[in-house]
Amino acid sequence: MIDLAPGRTTPAPWTNVVANPGFGFIITEGGGGYTWAGNSRENRLTPWSNDPVRDPLGEALYLRDEASGAIWSPTPRPAGAGHVRVRHGFGYSVFERRRGAIESALTLSVPADDPVKIFRLRLRNHGEQPARLTATLYAEWVLGVFRAQMAPYIVTSYDEEAAALLARNAYNVELGGRVAFLAASERELSYTGDRTEFIGRNGDLRRPAGMAARSLSGHAGVGHDPCGAIRCAVDLAPGEEREVVFLLGQGADADEALQLVARYREPGAAARAHEAAVSGWRALLGAAQVHTPDPALDVLLNGWLLYQTLVCRVWARSAFYQSGGAYGFRDQLQDVMALAHAAPEVARAQILRAAARQFVEGDVQHWWHPPTGRGVRTSFSDDYLWLPYVAQHYCEATGDVAVLDETTPFLEGRLLQPDEAEYYDLPVVSSREGTLYTHCTKAIDYGLGRMGPHGLPLMGAGDWNDGMNLVGAGKGESVWVGWFLIAVLLPFAELAERRGDGGRAERYRAEAERLRAAIEAHAWDGDWYLRAFYDDGTPLGSHRSEECRIDSLVQSWAVIVGAGDPARARAGMDAVDAQLVDHEAGLIRLFTPAFDKSDHNPGYIKGYLPGVRENGGQYTHAAIWTIWAWAMLGEGGRVAELLRLISPVRHAAEHSERYMVEPYTIAADVYTAPGHAGRGGWTWYTGSAGWLYRLGIEQLLGLRRRGDTLTVRPCLPPEWPGYAATYTVGAATYQITVERGRGAGTVSLDGVELADGQIPLDAAGGAHEVRVIIARG
C-alpha cells in the first residue's frame, strides 16, 4: 500500500556513489526493498547494480528470529513476503509490517546538512513469549562510478572503539580521501567486509548465506569482494518495544566519519534529526499552499512537485532511470525558475554556478560533473540562451537585480572543429571574468551570430529536443530556437534599457523583429508552424512530412513568446488539439507521426521505438508548454481539462495497471506505442516537475511575484467558483481568497481596495487578508 509519496528521502546532492542503494532489512525470508536517499553537497547515493545474477539491491536490512531461524525484511524486498504498508513523506519513508508476533516499523530519513542515511527500526513483540532477534544491515560499496571497476581498490576496516565498519577507495581520483561507514545504536556488533561470505557462492539477497550464521566472521581489509554488513542482537520481552538505529554515510575523512557516527547513532539524536529535517521541508514547501476544487492538483502543487524539483533535479541530479550526478546547463536553470517563491537563494546560486560554465566565446558546457567541472562542450543551439532567460526571470520575480553585477570567471578550451558535435574534457578556468550581465549578453550575442539560410538559428547538435541531433549538422535551422531567442531578446532588452544600455536594447529589439519576420515568412506551413529545416533545406514538421508532420513545441512557443501572428498562433494550437491530444490514452503527444522509416535521419530520436519517449510519445515538458499556451490564450476550461488529462494522480487512480508508475511524481514521458499507450516512462528526474508547478501556481491560479509585490490574475475554468491560498513571505502570511462576483477585477488587502491590483509584500511579519473578485463563469 502506498499512502502518498516517493521512496526518495534525500535533501541534498551526492557526487560519489557510496553504496548501491536498494535496501532491505531481512527479518524473515528475503529482504530489501527499493528506497534510496542522498544528502550533503558532495555525496550521493544512486541505485545501480553491475551484477545481474544477484538481486540488484545494494542495501538490505534483515531480521532473524534466533529460535526458528526465520528471516524476513521490514520492506517489500528482498525478503518481504506478505503485506507491507509503505508511506512516503517529505524527507522520509516508512515501511510497516507484522510477521507473527513481531511488528516492525522502519523509518528512513536524512539530516538536513550531513551525508548520513538514518535507519530507525522500531520493533514490538506482541507475543506471550520472549523473542530474540538479530538485525543485520548490508551495504554493497561502490565508492566510485561502477562497483565492478572499484571493487579491487576498496579497503574495509573496523574501528573497535567506535563500533563502526569503515570503507575507503584511495584510487578514486577525485574523492579518494573520503571514508564511508556503517554503524548502529547497539555497540555489540558482528561484522564482515566480505561480500562472498555474506551472499554466498551463487547466492542472492533473498536468502543470503550470511543470515544462516549466528554471527558474522569479522573479516575486513583487502582482498575481499567488498561489502559492509553489521549485525546486532535485539531481545524483546512480551509486549516490549525497542528501537534500533543503523547508519550509512560518508565523511570527508576517517575523523569526520566517526564524528557523524557519534552524532546520530543514539535513538534520541536520530529522532531529533528526523524531526528537524521534516520541519525544514514543511517550512520550505509551505511557502505557497493552495486549496482548489481539484484535490489531486492540490496534492501536487502543495509540495510534491517542488520536492521532486529540489530533491531530485537540483540536489541529487540523479534517479533510478538516470543515475548521473552531473549538472545540465539548461536543466537545472529551468528547474530553479520554480523556486522563486520558496527558495530564491537556491535559484540565485544556480544561475551563478551556470554562468561560471561559459566559455569565453559565449557557448557553454552542455553538462559537467562537480567537483572538477569535467564535461562536454557541444554545438547545441539553446543551452547558452537559458542563462539570460532564467536570469531575467529571476530578477523580475525577486527584484534582486544586484545579481547581475556578481562576477564569475569564464572557461577556456579548444574550439569545436567544423565537423565536430561535441567533445568531453576538463576545461581551464580562465583568468578572464565578467559580471552575470556580461555572461548573459555574451550568450545572446553568440546565438545571434549563428544564423542559417532562412535567417533562423542554426540547429547545431540539437536544440531543446536533444534527440534531433542530426537535423542540423551543417546548415539546418531550428524554428523553435527562433521563437525562444525572441523570448530571450525582448525581456532582456527591457532589462538592458533599465541599466542604461540603450544601444544594446535597441539592437535586441531589432533582432527580435527580424527573427519574427523570418519565421512568419519561411516557417508557416499553412495550418501550423514548421519545426525545423534539415541541412538540405527540407522542412521538418510540415503537412508534407511523412513523419513528424506536426510538432507541438513550435505551436505552443508561438503563443508563449507572444510574437506569433495571433491568427496563425491560434490555428497552430487548434491543430495541436486536433492531432496531438489523445483523450483515450490521457496524454499530449510531442509530435506525430513518430520517426520510423523515413529517408531523413533526424538523429538518435529515431532509435527509440515509435511512440516511446520523445519519438511520438508524450514528452511531459512539452505537454505542459502546450497547456501553458492555452492559459495565455485565456482558455481556463481547456487548461483545467488538460491538467486533469495528464495528471499522474488521475492516471494512477483510474488506470494504475496501465500507467504503472508513481502518482506523486511527474513522469518525463508517457508512451503512445501500440500495446503500451498510457504507460508512464521514467519518473523523478524530469524538468517537467518545475514547469508543472509554475503552470499551476502562475498561470492557472495567477499568483505571480514581482519583487516586493504579488499579483493574482487567474485563468480558471468556468465551473470553478474560485480558490483559496496561503502565501508566506518571511514572517508574514497572506490568506488569499479568489471568488466570483460583482466588481470583477477588485483586489483588496486587509479590507482596503488596491487601485492597481498590486499586493505589497512585507516580510517583517503579520497576517494579512487578500480578497480577489473575478468575473462569473
Side-chain angles (χ1 to χ4, degrees):
M1 169 182 177
I2 294 184
D3 282 357
L4 202 83
R8 180 87 189 150
T9 53
T10 152
W14 298 58
T15 57
N16 179 37
V17 184
V18 176
N20 280 336
F23 129 77
F25 256 115
I26 304 185
I27 301 192
T28 306
E29 313 104 19
Y34 178 74
T35 257
W36 55 286
N39 194 325
S40 135
R41 296 173 183 80
E42 298 174 330
N43 299 289
R44 94 184 136 73
L45 293 175
T46 50
W48 185 267
S49 176
N50 290 288
D51 190 348
V53 176
R54 293 172 175 165
D55 196 301
L57 301 174
E59 303 161 28
L61 182 55
Y62 301 92
L63 281 174
R64 171 186 161 108
D65 184 331
E66 291 299 296
S68 66
I71 301 168
W72 72 98
S73 310
T75 51
R77 293 176 60 212
H83 178 78
V84 180
R85 186 170 187 254
V86 182
R87 293 184 291 117
H88 301 294
F90 303 129
Y92 68 92
S93 292
V94 179
F95 301 82
E96 298 170 325
R97 71 172 305 170
R98 178 167 173 171
R99 185 190 183 280
I102 304 300
E103 178 186 355
S104 65
L106 173 65
T107 301
L108 303 179
S109 60
V110 177
D113 298 312
D114 285 324
V116 183
K117 182 174 180 178
I118 299 175
F119 304 70
R120 296 169 57 216
L121 178 66
R122 191 178 71 250
L123 298 168
R124 184 175 184 84
N125 181 7
H126 290 276
E128 298 179 355
Q129 301 296 323
R132 166 155 257 215
L133 309 174
T134 59
T136 304
L137 176 63
Y138 166 85
E140 190 169 280
W141 301 121
V142 179
L143 304 184
V145 179
F146 299 116
R147 196 199 75 82
Q149 291 177 353
M150 297 294 103
Y153 310 108
I154 294 173
V155 178
T156 57
S157 62
Y158 189 75
D159 188 298
E160 295 285 352
E161 183 177 352
L165 182 62
L166 309 179
R168 70 191 77 206
N169 176 14
Y171 285 83
N172 184 318
V173 176
E174 296 171 350
L175 302 165
R178 294 181 177 274
V179 176
F181 60 84
L182 291 180
S185 53
E186 306 298 308
R187 301 297 186 99
E188 296 296 324
L189 300 176
S190 64
Y191 64 90
T192 184
D194 186 344
R195 182 171 176 257
T196 302
E197 171 199 334
F198 187 79
I199 297 179
R201 184 177 178 85
N202 298 323
D204 61 45
L205 289 177
R206 288 170 295 181
R207 288 194 66 84
M211 289 307 302
R214 289 188 176 273
S215 64
L216 300 173
S217 67
H219 290 162
V222 298
H224 303 297
D225 182 4
C227 77
I230 57 175
R231 176 176 298 167
C232 65
V234 183
D235 292 313
L236 294 171
E240 185 180 6
E241 180 175 295
R242 288 187 59 187
E243 180 171 296
V244 178
V245 173
F246 286 90
L247 305 176
L248 166 64
Q250 186 182 61
D253 53 29
D255 287 343
E256 184 179 89
L258 297 181
Q259 289 171 14
L260 292 170
V261 170
R263 187 176 304 158
Y264 294 109
R265 78 183 325 158
E266 298 303 328
R272 287 190 294 273
H274 169 84
E275 290 302 321
V278 171
S279 296
W281 277 114
R282 288 197 192 105
L284 190 151
L285 300 175
Q289 293 289 294
V290 303
H291 303 281
T292 77
D294 185 347
L297 180 64
D298 293 351
V299 167
L300 297 174
L301 294 180
N302 288 335
W304 287 112
L305 292 174
L306 273 190
Y307 187 70
Q308 179 178 352
T309 298
L310 192 52
V311 161
C312 188
R313 291 282 294 184
V314 178
W315 282 342
R317 303 182 303 283
S318 186
F320 183 73
Y321 304 88
Q322 183 168 341
S323 177
Y327 284 104
F329 193 90
R330 73 159 86 101
D331 297 342
Q332 279 71 42
L333 278 175
Q334 291 179 78
D335 296 330
V336 300
M337 295 175 77
L339 302 178
H341 302 279
E345 71 284 356
V346 176
R348 191 183 206 271
Q350 183 59 37
I351 291 167
L352 295 174
R353 183 180 295 116
R357 309 316 299 175
Q358 183 183 41
F359 292 95
V360 293
E361 291 79 10
D363 60 323
V364 300
Q365 287 183 300
H366 186 60
W367 55 258
W368 72 93
H369 272 286
T372 64
R374 192 181 297 275
V376 292
R377 187 175 194 174
T378 74
S379 61
F380 272 89
S381 55
D382 71 311
D383 281 335
Y384 43 87
L385 294 174
W386 287 101
L387 180 63
Y389 184 83
V390 175
Q392 184 278 331
H393 169 82
Y394 169 82
C395 290
E396 183 179 30
T398 66
D400 176 18
V401 294
V403 71
L404 295 170
D405 296 312
E406 294 281 357
T407 301
T408 59
F410 290 95
L411 298 177
E412 293 183 7
R414 72 167 178 84
L415 297 177
L416 288 163
Q417 299 300 315
D419 60 346
E420 189 176 26
E422 64 181 40
Y423 70 85
Y424 176 73
D425 197 9
L426 178 61
V428 175
V429 176
S430 175
S431 60
R432 295 174 57 184
E433 296 183 339
T435 63
L436 176 60
Y437 181 76
T438 299
H439 281 274
C440 289
T441 57
K442 188 174 281 288
I444 295 171
D445 293 344
Y446 183 81
L448 290 174
R450 292 168 48 81
M451 297 293 160
H454 295 96
L456 300 174
L458 292 172
M459 186 83 159
D463 57 13
W464 172 86
N465 193 330
D466 294 8
M468 292 184 175
N469 59 307
L470 297 181
V471 170
K475 296 181 180 180
E477 298 161 289
S478 170
V479 177
W480 175 77
V481 175
W483 286 132
F484 184 50
L485 188 47
I486 296 172
V488 173
L489 287 166
L490 292 177
F492 212 86
E494 294 183 16
L495 190 152
E497 199 162 57
R498 290 195 296 269
R499 288 177 63 89
D501 197 355
R504 184 180 300 276
E506 184 178 349
R507 180 163 62 89
Y508 284 177
R509 290 190 182 106
E511 287 290 345
E513 174 56 26
R514 184 196 62 75
L515 278 168
R516 186 202 65 77
I519 293 172
E520 297 292 359
H522 302 293
W524 179 248
D525 195 53
D527 292 303
W528 56 79
Y529 288 101
L530 301 176
R531 175 63 175 85
F533 290 95
Y534 283 101
D535 284 336
D536 64 3
T538 301
L540 174 63
S542 167
H543 69 278
R544 295 185 297 272
S545 300
E546 181 182 351
E547 296 168 354
C548 189
R549 183 175 58 248
I550 177 173
D551 191 306
S552 74
L553 204 62
V554 276
Q555 321 312 326
S556 57
W557 275 83
V559 177
I560 292 170
V561 173
D565 175 273
R568 288 179 170 185
R570 177 68 194 221
M573 290 303 299
D574 288 340
V576 168
D577 191 58
Q579 300 189 45
L580 299 179
V581 176
D582 186 334
H583 291 275
E584 183 176 347
L587 52 85
I588 305 172
R589 287 177 170 85
L590 175 58
F591 60 77
T592 196
F595 291 111
D596 189 14
K597 299 177 181 178
S598 59
D599 292 336
H600 280 92
N601 183 8
Y604 75 76
I605 189 172
K606 200 171 181 178
Y608 292 125
L609 291 174
V612 173
R613 289 189 57 75
E614 296 102 316
N615 192 17
Q618 172 179 292
Y619 210 62
T620 310
H621 216 133
I624 291 164
W625 285 338
T626 294
I627 306 172
W628 193 294
W630 284 121
M632 295 190 70
L633 291 172
E635 297 272 357
R638 199 173 327 225
V639 169
E641 174 194 356
L642 294 177
L643 279 171
R644 285 193 297 270
L645 185 76
I646 69 168
S647 168
V649 179
R650 187 190 70 84
H651 282 314
E654 299 178 10
H655 305 287
S656 60
E657 293 184 1
R658 179 179 76 185
Y659 188 56
M660 298 182 71
V661 293
E662 305 97 319
Y664 42 77
T665 173
I666 197 74
D669 55 302
V670 182
Y671 301 165
T672 62
H676 301 282
R679 168 72 181 270
W682 80 23
T683 57
W684 279 105
Y685 195 77
T686 167
S688 53
W691 278 103
L692 182 56
Y693 178 79
R694 291 189 60 207
L695 171 63
I697 295 294
E698 298 175 22
Q699 295 299 318
L700 176 69
L701 304 182
L703 297 171
R704 298 175 196 142
R705 183 172 179 177
R706 296 295 180 265
D708 293 329
T709 64
L710 182 73
T711 59
V712 184
R713 295 172 183 164
C715 180
L716 303 183
E719 66 272 18
W720 281 22
Y723 72 90
T726 302
Y727 194 86
T728 302
V729 181
T733 46
Y734 293 79
Q735 300 292 337
I736 301 169
T737 302
V738 177
E739 57 190 356
R740 299 187 186 275
R742 292 182 178 179
T746 301
V747 179
S748 62
L749 173 64
D750 297 330
V752 179
E753 186 173 331
L754 303 173
D756 60 0
Q758 303 286 320
I759 304 162
L761 299 175
D762 183 1
H768 304 278
E769 300 286 338
V770 176
R771 187 165 180 253
V772 180
I773 307 299
I774 60 175
R776 290 187 173 93

